[in-house]
Amino acid sequence: MKVGIIGAGPAGLTCAVKLAEQGVDVSIYESDKTVGGMTKSFDLWGQKVDLGPHRFFSMDQRINDFWLSYVGEDYIMVDRLTRIFYKHKFFLYPVRAFNALANLGVWEAFLCILSYFRAQFKKKGSEKSFEEWVSNRFGYRLYSIFFKSYSERLWGIPCTELDADFARQRIKGLNMLEVIKSALFHQGGSKHKTLVDRFAYPKFGAGVPYENIAKKITELGGHIYLETPVKGIKTEGGKACGIVFADGKEEKFDFVVSTAPFTEMLCSIPDFSDEVRSLAQSLTYRNTTLVYLEVTNPDIFKDNWIYVHDKTVTMGRITNFRNWSPFMLNGKESTILALEYWSYDNDEQWQYSDAQMVDLAKSDIVKAGLAKTEEIKDGYVVRMHRSYPVYDTGYQQKMVKLQAAADSIGNMLFIGRNGSFKYNNQDHSILMGLLAAENILSGTNKNNLWLVNTDYDYQEAGKSLEKK
């Protein structure tokens, strides 16, 4: 069997290595210069950095075992510290009662509690939107402080137009009772994934396991072609039969697995109707621009990352790589920060030059009071096109039809965050890769890949990978 895989991120690499282990002839085509997708690591100013913050956690033993098999003992447990930057104050996240009280003030805290109890007795709307879903569980006032501004900055649409499915996937297990337990006792009880206090992290960056998987694939006889962008999927007789590359060349395959943007790949297949194409084109992705700043201050702040809710600045999140693994620093004294900005293709900011983005990031970090102008040595820009699938209201109804259309073509699977149009973490994409390989090897559709990352309870906690 000859299988072609589009994209060398976590999902594509996982699927490829499991197939190669069984003697399948595997070829992976990646448009970037390196493997790892959005979870890659790279060298910058003599240190190692990632594409933003990437923790690993999973409830599924299969996923943990797979990840560990490509990390070995070369990982550490990192004590998580994250805060919310709001109105030029820092709120601990997970919430701590006295910290929140001190920052909000007694009157504002009282109003938040009053709003919460009001929401319990008088629910709003049909809970189709993110705003309705969250405010019904936390109260509108807490929602507006800790959810609204950040979510609208990330997605670029009002929270009334953001589907509640996003809340169900990302924060279902986070409820007021759990927040209060965390705030009062700091420990104990069930921890929601976003509240995990310690997480496993490879010593030399999140991309290490994927670099190791890539090496294993080539050792097993598989092929990885970098800087090889794909234009689409070729079909014949209702089945996928090959891959069409950006330069117009084609390669035949018995089976095709795509982690490339779902909408783009669907529209490349001539079998589909105009209705399917129109539905696919109506789905949107959000872009990320990462601006890395080298700062001379080694103790700028202790957080792993900070969520930015403050309206006086425009970045959405700041990662401090100095606080992840000492092995990434290579003895350097400077701090590398990554400031995240989100935009659509037609937004003015997406068209900014690198120099403009660096200037914006410098201005924002100084405005936030986190660095002084004279401490900033250098800047570097990375752009990630279509990094987040946008869950606007009604997207699920579209996906039902698009998934059915995709399933109507044989010998073809869509996996990964972009490939399946799902807001996956690493563990979800690894699971998709494992299950896709099982389907291909068995010649069946025994695993419904569309169901991965829709089991909302799966989001609620991660198994500890503490070393014994």
Side-chain angles (χ1 to χ4, degrees), residues 10-11 38-39 54-55 57 155 166 169-170 193 259 387-389 391 414-433 449-454 458-459:
M38 286 183 280
T39 320
H54 291 286
R55 293 176 295 153
F57 42 74
W155 300 110
F166 173 68
Q169 284 189 19
R170 306 304 288 195
K193 269 192 173 183
T259 71
S387 52
Y388 289 96
Y391 288 8
F414 294 92
I415 61 175
R417 177 186 283 198
N418 280 353
S420 63
F421 203 82
K422 286 180 180 289
Y423 189 7
N424 282 0
N425 292 326
Q426 288 181 72
D427 56 328
H428 302 121
S429 289
I430 288 173
L431 181 58
M432 281 185 167
L449 303 179
W450 302 115
L451 295 181
V452 176
N453 199 10
T454 56
Y458 179 82
Q459 304 291 320

Side-chain angles (χ1 to χ4, degrees), residues 127-181:
E127 292 199 346
K128 290 183 178 180
S129 74
F130 179 86
E131 179 168 301
E132 289 174 345
W133 196 97
V134 178
S135 60
N136 278 347
R137 283 156 182 78
F138 292 88
Y140 186 84
R141 206 167 189 97
L142 273 176
Y143 150 76
S144 63
I145 294 172
F146 292 117
F147 294 94
K148 187 176 188 293
S149 60
Y150 181 83
S151 298
E152 292 187 346
R153 188 170 295 187
L154 171 58
W155 300 110
I157 56 176
C159 286
T160 53
E161 297 176 19
L162 181 63
D163 200 285
D165 197 44
F166 173 68
R168 295 188 192 102
Q169 284 189 19
R170 306 304 288 195
I171 59 174
K172 177 183 177 182
L174 179 61
N175 54 53
M176 277 299 286
L177 180 60
E178 187 170 331
V179 168
I180 291 168
K181 280 182 181 179

Side-chain angles (χ1 to χ4, degrees), residues 103-121:
N103 281 333
L104 287 174
V106 175
W107 178 244
E108 182 63 38
F110 171 75
L111 292 176
C112 286
I113 294 170
L114 189 66
S115 175
Y116 165 71
F117 283 111
R118 185 185 296 121
Q120 305 318 297
F121 291 102

Side-chain angles (χ1 to χ4, degrees), residues 331-350:
K332 303 290 185 181
E333 289 296 323
S334 59
T335 297
I336 298 180
L337 304 177
L339 282 66
E340 291 181 61
Y341 297 86
W342 302 300
S343 56
Y344 289 108
D345 286 357
N346 57 356
D347 288 346
E348 182 182 1
Q349 191 183 88
W350 184 243

Side-chain angles (χ1 to χ4, degrees), residues 321-366:
F321 291 104
R322 192 162 195 87
N323 301 330
W324 287 69
S325 168
F327 298 93
M328 299 169 69
L329 305 177
N330 291 328
K332 303 290 185 181
E333 289 296 323
S334 59
T335 297
I336 298 180
L337 304 177
L339 282 66
E340 291 181 61
Y341 297 86
W342 302 300
S343 56
Y344 289 108
D345 286 357
N346 57 356
D347 288 346
E348 182 182 1
Q349 191 183 88
W350 184 243
Q351 310 302 325
Y352 279 8
S353 67
D354 286 1
Q356 285 176 301
M357 286 307 305
V358 170
D359 286 344
L360 176 61
K362 287 180 178 179
S363 173
D364 276 347
I365 205 71
V366 171

Side-chain angles (χ1 to χ4, degrees), residues 34 40-44 47-52 204-205 207 211 290 292 321 328 380 382:
T34 55
K40 73 174 183 178
S41 302
F42 62 98
D43 296 313
L44 183 63
Q47 300 183 41
K48 279 277 188 183
V49 294
D50 300 332
L51 295 177
F204 297 97
E211 294 166 10
L290 286 164
Y292 294 83
F321 291 104
M328 299 169 69
Y380 181 77
V382 174

